Amino acid sequence: MNSFSVEQKRVDVFESAAPNKPVIYLNTYGREGAQIFQYLTDIGCQDFSLVAVSKLEWNHDMVPWDIPPIFKNGASYTSGADEYLRLLINQIIPKAESLLQGTPAWRGIAGYSLAGLFALYSIYQTDAFSRVASVSGSLWFPGIKEYVVSRTPVKKPADIFFSLGDRECRTQNSLLRCVQQNTESIERYYHEQGIDTTFQLNPGNHFKDVVQRTAAGLQWLLSREYGP
């Protein structure tokens, strides 16, 4: 593993065994990148490189537009996604890929919770990513369903993975109750556009088996045939 920092963000690069393998960019709340890469290695997943970014301003860097707090005494959500995406594209990706062997077969983006929201939002701003994993993605976020179905990605992605816990929509918070309905609706929309998609419903709430659920999303992307 190689690590570096860019504007207080920590970037951990887990390199593939062979050159010219896919690379997936994973934005993380903690530093679960090492656990996820090890988990996938242990189960014999296809060879790939993982670039895990941590030390993010979670409610800012992953958020496409401002919304007020959704919980009493909670933090606001402030629109930092565009700024962070520029940092990712212009500084993090070039530096990370200079540490890899060869040229990536393809580049994917993945994330859990708000990072799953960011992953989906990013394909409307850049053509850098051809595969997406939105794992327990915060697709309850006000306006995101309308946003993605009324616009066209900069480059049509080859594959998109969605998942949720089966208890995530069972909440007293009225804003969060729509998460499964929104996720299923968005997945159907992309499928109708001819994109290879899947939706997995896992047992448990939003905070259960984060490493395993995230690894499942990456494994699904890597199981699709190689190509841009």
Side-chain angles (χ1 to χ4, degrees):
M1 182 187 78
N2 288 295
S3 299
F4 60 92
S5 295
V6 177
E7 293 188 12
Q8 287 79 55
K9 320 298 184 196
R10 180 185 171 100
V11 184
D12 295 325
V13 181
F14 304 89
E15 188 178 1
S16 58
N20 306 318
K21 295 299 183 180
V23 58
I24 298 177
Y25 288 81
L26 176 68
N27 293 297
T28 65
Y29 184 77
R31 286 185 57 199
E32 56 268 28
Q35 290 177 272
I36 291 164
F37 191 74
Q38 188 62 54
Y39 180 90
L40 289 169
T41 301
D42 290 345
I43 64 172
C45 184
Q46 293 89 335
D47 192 18
F48 79 110
S49 295
L50 178 67
V51 179
V53 186
S54 57
K55 295 190 176 179
L56 295 161
E57 294 181 55
W58 196 245
N59 281 26
H60 179 69
D61 293 335
M62 299 291 97
V63 173
W65 47 81
D66 295 353
I67 65 167
I70 64 168
F71 297 107
K72 185 178 180 181
N73 301 321
S76 294
Y77 297 79
T78 56
S79 53
D82 291 339
E83 180 183 1
Y84 170 67
L85 185 59
R86 285 192 292 272
L87 183 72
L88 180 63
I89 299 298
N90 297 330
Q91 296 190 50
I92 294 174
I93 288 178
K95 173 67 173 175
E97 293 184 6
S98 74
L99 301 172
L100 302 179
Q101 305 175 70
T103 302
W106 50 262
R107 190 185 291 127
I109 185 165
Y112 197 95
S113 192
L114 281 173
L117 169 74
F118 174 83
L120 201 61
Y121 175 75
S122 71
I123 62 173
Y124 290 84
Q125 317 304 318
T126 179
D127 63 358
F129 308 106
S130 61
R131 305 190 184 200
V132 179
S134 179
V135 185
S136 279
S138 299
L139 303 185
W140 52 264
F141 200 83
I144 192 60
K145 183 174 75 169
E146 295 77 12
Y147 183 91
V148 300
V149 303
S150 64
R151 289 166 172 77
T152 302
V154 177
K155 179 175 75 175
K156 185 177 181 179
D159 311 283
I160 309 180
F161 173 93
F162 296 93
S163 71
L164 280 178
D166 61 7
R167 298 191 62 82
E168 292 198 49
C169 63
R170 302 178 195 176
T171 172
Q172 294 182 353
N173 188 306
S174 59
L175 194 60
L176 299 179
R177 281 184 209 141
C178 69
V179 66
Q180 185 171 331
Q181 183 181 22
N182 279 9
T183 303
E184 291 176 336
S185 175
I186 290 169
E187 188 269 336
R188 279 195 305 272
Y189 167 75
Y190 285 125
H191 183 75
E192 290 166 0
Q193 304 305 306
I195 297 170
D196 181 30
T197 66
T198 195
F199 172 68
Q200 291 185 6
L201 196 60
N202 303 301
N205 63 22
H206 184 65
F207 303 100
K208 182 176 171 61
D209 299 330
V210 172
V211 167
Q212 292 81 359
R213 288 184 188 178
T214 305
L218 273 56
Q219 184 181 20
W220 186 86
L221 293 185
L222 291 159
S223 73
R224 319 323 286 168
E225 290 199 11
Y226 279 17

